[in-house]
């Protein structure tokens, strides 16, 4: 029974300094964490009608001024100050982004990092953000599928093209190709059956937020059934869970592993260097060391 441990690090207004980013990258790598994951929202709002799926009151945990660094930009900086740690998006909001530019950012990051990208993707929940970037909120699931198909074509084909209902890519070429062939692993975020089907059709992993060990049997059962419908098995995908704001004890680490989690990514949110190092050390003691003791 083995489980990797990474850190989920929101980087934005208040902790987006080069000093914090360097300390995050070097500190996580030196302590032996497997990966660093960063989120995405290009704009936030004080007033919004959309419901955030990971809090009881439907509100995002932060005001409009909390902000976030664009994830692939942040990971590119982290790639420059690290050598080993994996670099993940948790999550990239694929249907509200141009797929060609996103594919270019991902392949370039994979190239300059030496093949360390983990591409976590999702369909998004904040209608107001889609409107701000002039992208339709409706049919975002279909749009995500087509955008991912465009990206995979650009990553893996010499001359790439795609002709869908919502996006049309004329014959063109994108180089360099990703170091990881045929492309970086795609981890689909989301709890719905639609997200599970996207895992089965397109993904190399499932990424779940805000779940405790006892909450995993039901969604993993659904995932197993949907994978089976596509002639795939759980062994074909990586199950990544971020407990989010839930604290993780050494006892819970073993419970996550027993529940079927392959990678645990734990929250590290600090606004000064002393707090950052203290949090990382605490996560080593409470999460990383117990996970390594599993074998």
């Amino acid at each position: 029974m083995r489980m990797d441990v990474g850190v989920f690090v929101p980087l934005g207004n208040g902790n987006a300094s080069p000093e914090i980013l360097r300390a995050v990258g070097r500190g996580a790598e030196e302590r032996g964490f497997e990966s660093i994951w960063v989120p995405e929202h290009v704009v936030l709002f004080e007033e919004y009608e959309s419901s955030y799926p990971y809090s009881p009151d439907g509100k995002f945990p932060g005001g409009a001024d909390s902000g976030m660094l664009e994830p692939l930009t942040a990971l590119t900086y982290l790639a420059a100050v690290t050598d080993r740690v994996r670099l993940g998006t948790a999550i990239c909001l694929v249907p509200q982004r141009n797929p060609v530019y996103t594919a270019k950012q991902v392949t370039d990051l994979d190239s300059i990092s030496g093949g360390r990208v983990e591409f976590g993707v999702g369909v998004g929940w904040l209608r107001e953000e889609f409107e701000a970037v002039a992208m339709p909120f409706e049919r975002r699931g279909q749009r995500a599928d087509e955008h991912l198909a465009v990206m995979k074509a650009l990553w893996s084909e010499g001359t790439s093209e795609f002709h869908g209902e919502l996006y049309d890519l004329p014959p063109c070429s994108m180089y360099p190709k990703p170091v990881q062939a045929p492309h970086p692993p795609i981890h689909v975020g989301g709890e719905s059956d639609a997200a599970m089907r996207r895992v089965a059709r397109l993904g190399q992993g499932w990424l779940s937020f805000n779940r405790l060990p006892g909450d995993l049997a039901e969604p993993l059962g659904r995932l197993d059934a949907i994978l089976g419908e596509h002639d795939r098995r759980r062994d074909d995908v990586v199950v990544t869970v971020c407990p989010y704001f839930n604290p993780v004890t050494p006892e819970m680490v073993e419970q996550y592993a027993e529940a079927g989690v392959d990678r645990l990514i734990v929250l590290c949110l600090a606004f000064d260097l002393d707090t950052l190092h203290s949090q990382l050390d605490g996560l080593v003691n409470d999460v990383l060391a117990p996970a390594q003791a599993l074998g």
Side-chain angles (χ1 to χ4, degrees), residues 119-122 148 186-190 195-196 198-199 202-203 205-208:
F119 191 41
V121 303
L148 287 169
I186 297 171
H187 303 270
V188 177
M196 304 289 189
R198 193 164 291 112
V199 174
L202 303 171
W206 176 55
L207 200 163
S208 179

Side-chain angles (χ1 to χ4, degrees), residues 57-294:
D57 64 359
K59 295 301 180 183
F60 184 76
D65 61 349
S66 56
M68 296 180 191
L69 289 181
E70 193 283 318
L72 295 165
T73 303
L75 293 175
T76 299
Y77 191 104
L78 289 169
V81 298
T82 58
D83 297 303
R84 176 197 56 80
V85 69
R86 305 287 296 174
L87 305 166
T89 54
I91 57 175
C92 179
L93 301 171
V94 165
Q96 73 177 35
R97 300 172 61 111
N98 178 280
V100 177
Y101 267 103
T102 304
K104 182 61 175 169
Q105 285 183 280
V106 171
T107 192
D108 289 355
L109 174 58
D110 204 54
S111 295
I112 65 175
S113 69
R116 292 188 277 144
V117 174
E118 302 282 339
F119 191 41
V121 303
V123 301
W125 61 274
L126 186 55
R127 175 187 290 271
E128 290 84 352
E129 185 175 16
F130 278 74
E131 293 171 351
V133 297
M135 190 66 75
F137 189 69
E138 290 73 21
R139 302 174 74 184
R140 65 192 185 282
Q142 179 184 353
R143 193 176 305 277
D145 290 346
E146 292 196 13
H147 284 195
L148 287 169
V150 170
M151 294 180 205
K152 292 170 77 170
L154 290 165
W155 291 331
S156 60
E157 300 170 2
T159 299
S160 311
E161 62 179 303
F162 175 84
H163 306 288
E165 186 177 355
L166 302 178
Y167 198 91
D168 191 83
L169 179 73
C172 59
S173 297
M174 177 177 285
Y175 286 90
K177 300 300 183 186
V179 171
Q180 298 178 91
H183 53 75
I186 297 171
H187 303 270
V188 177
E191 317 297 322
S192 66
D193 285 351
M196 304 289 189
R197 289 192 292 270
R198 193 164 291 112
V199 174
R201 293 194 314 270
L202 303 171
Q204 288 71 58
W206 176 55
L207 200 163
S208 179
F209 271 82
N210 205 32
R211 285 197 183 271
L212 297 172
D215 299 331
L216 284 162
E218 187 276 332
L220 287 177
R222 285 191 286 122
L223 178 62
D224 287 340
I226 293 171
L227 287 170
E229 294 171 3
H230 291 78
D231 296 321
R232 300 184 69 189
R233 302 169 55 226
R234 179 92 66 82
D235 291 346
D236 297 332
V237 300
V238 174
V239 175
T240 299
V241 172
C242 177
Y244 208 21
F245 285 99
N246 293 299
V248 179
T249 65
E251 294 75 21
M252 291 171 64
V253 170
E254 184 171 0
Q255 293 168 4
Y256 274 112
E258 290 175 345
V261 175
D262 301 300
R263 176 193 286 119
L264 195 65
I265 53 175
V266 285
L267 178 68
C268 180
L269 179 58
F271 296 91
D272 62 78
L273 293 177
D274 289 342
T275 303
L276 174 65
H277 289 302
S278 177
Q279 285 195 14
L280 288 172
D281 288 340
L283 293 173
V284 169
N285 293 330
D286 294 340
V287 184
L288 181 57
Q292 292 173 335
L294 297 174

